[in-house]
Amino acid sequence: MRLSELQPGETGVITKILGHGAFRKRVMEMGFVKGREVKTILNAPLQDPVKYSLLDYEVSLRRAEANLIEISPLDEWRRHDEIEEQAPREDSDSSSIRKDRIINIALIGNPNCGKTSLFNMVSGAHERVGNYAGVTVGAKEGVLHYKGYRLNIVDLPGTYSLSAYSPEELYVMRYLREEMPDVIINTVVASNLERNLYLTTELIDMNRSMVICLNMYDELEKSHATLDHEHLGKMLGVPMVPTIASTGWGVNKLLDTVIQVYEMKNPDTRHIHVQLRPDIEQAITAINGAMKADPKLTPRFSPRYLAIKLLEGDPEMERMLSDFDNYHEWIALRDKWSEKIEKDTGEDVVSVISSEKYGFIQGALAETYNPGRHNEEKTTKIIDAFVTNKLFGFPIFLLIMWLMFWATFQIGSYPMEWIESLVSWISTIIGRWMPEGPFKDLLLDGVIGGVGGVIVFLPNILILYAFISFMEDSGYMARVAFIMDKLMHKMGLHGKSFIPLVMGFGCNVPAIMSTRIIESTSSRIITVLINPFMSCSARIPIYVLLVGAFFPQHGAWIFVGLYLLGILAAVLTSRLLRKFWFKEDETPFVMELPPYRIPTAKATVRNMWTKAEQYLKKMGGLILVASIIIWALSYFPRYDAAQVPETFRTEAVADMPAATVAEGQEAVDNLVLNEYQQQHSILGYIGRALDPVMEPMRFGWQVSCSLLAGCAAKEVVVSTLGVLYVGDDDAELLSERLKTPSKITGEAPFTHASALAFLVFVLLYFPCIASITAIIRETGSWKYGAFSIVYNTALAWIASFMTFHIASLFY
């Protein structure tokens, strides 16, 4: 709790001072130090300020200042002391750890600096790690118990600076202001310090407790460069610790240093000013002095940092300071100095400050860093000579895409058969030993028939994710964005849009969220809206089922064709949106091209396991529930032979092939009853209501129902077809049933033409509920979610109609 929450007469023990520099120093000098008892005496008549007692004297604090001091109630503090005395443990749980032994840590660094790898290594979490900017688009939280401390670790989005230019930068700025972590771990790439340390200079301006993690130190050593990190750390006033996050080397020393900094015992920690040119320093001093004169300015940021950001014209800083009474005075002072600096230098203030900071970095590195041979750069240049070449770039990319889909379909078929046999064996055992009744039907047809019919496609999905993971981790994905930028620009998009679009091949939801890496608002919204056209892994079970049944000899080509059609739909939609809804985007294409790295087997397996875990959870959650609902809707109400109208029986028998009638009266009666049961179930009524819309593509009511069920998750389409057509978990049996003529109508559920039309419809029609929710959240408007439902479905119907009639000419 905070000191401001302590009621009159209550006593607490100080655990942390959350403010920065001057405020922190002032209150500590007054006796507000960790472990000190403090008692609330009384509130002022207007409830602010508040009088406190400590060290046998009384002192008053405003509530805003008291809110920056964390305390623990006295009885709780004593209870923790007793627990530690009785049974001190290294890995104490959170309930037995005193609040002063809980350290809140923020991981901050440039994109692609290995920050998330460090987070995974330290916290044991399994967050996605990729070798390109924008993998982390939100804060991830983890916990580690280490040497009697509980470390609460937050992995913040990668950012190059602390300016309100991109959503990531804005998020990090607001997090630092509102959450005030105890220690910042600034992760930098040891072999690329000049660019990485720019963000460090801004964190130094903030005057926060910090440790610099020199990550990927092995790359620096391989290049035979040398770095006196201890001397550089002393110069910056921030301790520096070399690490290799991917292997865990140096991580324990990093955590030890974090504890030292938190306990204020590290000898290298001191506050410095990143010195700028004299006229800039004069401007900062003037604005800083004016700000310090306002007693209401909360000590969440250093006044020097506020002054620098205000001088740079940062919109987020202007918004934050606009509520203060003296805001217009500060702005007038800022404008005066900005005009003077720009007149004297011929450059804008932001450029001057950036140049000065890079000059400071170069000066510090000149004394401590000796660059070596850059073999890695040579390797990167050699590979780039081919993969980014205008002649070879696109063919290489298309070859990789074709190989990915071929492996997904062909190689994935072998483990798919093994899982299918296992599920079938389980179904046989249950069918043999359980007594007849609705519960047995639910278990066999609803649960195993629904979930079992989808889980067999797990290997296909894992293979797809293995390819995507390799492209991301190796650095190739960033090159794809590079070679696709011109094409993206012709589509009315930004080059960075290509990364979320490719990620959409895995799952549309995180892909939609990853659009936050795009600075342009219009490009970001367009990318969100066209992302569902990227064929996600949830559609793979449908593709494998229909392609395996009707086009087994051309599986890879059908897959490639579907994915290309989705891309074509995205291009068309993007051009229409840019022409009729959004203005032209002039945001420049600036994107880091990281060096190539060989993905570790551990990272690839971890990523595949994470996806498998998510898929299995989906099987046991959403798809299980959806399958049971579909089964119930198709099972009820129940009918017997006496309830079947004679007209229905007569029409059904008249349509039956002669071979079916020849099977005997009992077989005919059972078929008629089953058909009547399906058509007049709740699901049957829903499906037949859609018949007029779907009839032009020759989709039966069962097919219409499966498409409707796909709103929950696209995999449910397969489980719905399984429940309605075969009532079994056997994917091979379902595949055979879809092309076998009905014993009642004499027509198969699908022909080659209608199967192609169905695949096109599944590719393009409305996204699942999770994707719709992500669209609304990322665009900030339900209208875009509604647009996606209506537009995508209309486009799907038109494309499916055309596909059916064109394919009918050949089949």
Side-chain angles (χ1 to χ4, degrees), residues 499-514:
I499 290 175
L501 294 179
V502 174
M503 287 180 67
F505 291 154
C507 180
N508 293 141
V509 176
I512 289 169
M513 294 173 63
S514 72

Side-chain angles (χ1 to χ4, degrees), residues 155-293:
D155 178 22
L156 293 172
T159 176
Y160 292 105
S161 68
L162 295 177
S163 302
Y165 177 62
S166 70
E168 287 78 16
E169 294 169 350
L170 196 57
Y171 185 97
V172 173
M173 282 182 65
R174 290 177 178 174
Y175 180 90
L176 292 175
R177 183 179 75 238
E178 295 166 8
E179 301 299 329
M180 292 182 295
D182 299 314
V183 180
I184 293 171
I185 296 180
N186 175 210
T187 309
V188 303
V189 179
S191 58
N192 193 0
L193 288 174
E194 188 168 350
R195 192 255 293 161
N196 279 244
L197 287 178
Y198 184 84
L199 175 61
T200 306
T201 62
E202 296 203 305
L203 293 170
I204 289 173
D205 290 336
M206 279 189 177
N207 192 12
R208 295 289 181 86
S209 297
M210 182 167 60
V211 177
I212 295 176
C213 168
L214 291 169
N215 197 24
M216 305 181 196
Y217 204 74
D218 53 333
E219 294 183 3
L220 180 141
E221 292 178 330
K222 285 178 185 176
S223 69
H224 300 284
T226 58
L227 174 68
D228 187 349
H229 63 270
E230 293 182 357
H231 182 43
L232 180 59
K234 287 183 172 66
M235 291 174 64
L236 298 178
V238 183
M240 307 183 89
V241 182
T243 66
I244 306 173
S246 60
T247 64
W249 181 83
V251 170
N252 284 348
K253 185 176 180 181
L254 176 68
L255 298 178
D256 292 338
T257 307
V258 167
I259 293 172
Q260 285 182 352
V261 170
Y262 172 72
E263 296 287 358
M264 293 184 287
K265 296 177 180 177
N266 187 275
D268 295 340
T269 301
R270 64 189 179 94
H271 179 55
I272 68 164
H273 284 175
V274 177
Q275 289 297 323
L276 308 175
R277 55 185 291 156
D279 51 352
I280 297 287
E281 287 293 341
Q282 290 175 11
I284 292 171
T285 301
I287 299 171
N288 189 351
M291 286 181 169
K292 284 182 177 179

Side-chain angles (χ1 to χ4, degrees), residues 442 446 626-637 681-683 723:
L442 168 63
S627 297
I628 292 174
I629 292 172
I630 295 296
W631 172 84
L633 292 175
S634 67
Y635 194 79
F636 297 103
S681 65
I682 300 171
L683 195 62
V723 169

Side-chain angles (χ1 to χ4, degrees), residues 9 56 67 72 108 118 141 145 289 332 334 432 452 499 509 516 538 656 680:
D56 297 326
N67 195 49
S72 179
I108 298 177
L118 177 64
E141 299 180 3
H145 294 275
R334 186 276 307 276
R432 183 180 301 165
I499 290 175
V509 176
R516 298 175 196 173
M656 284 184 185
H680 292 81

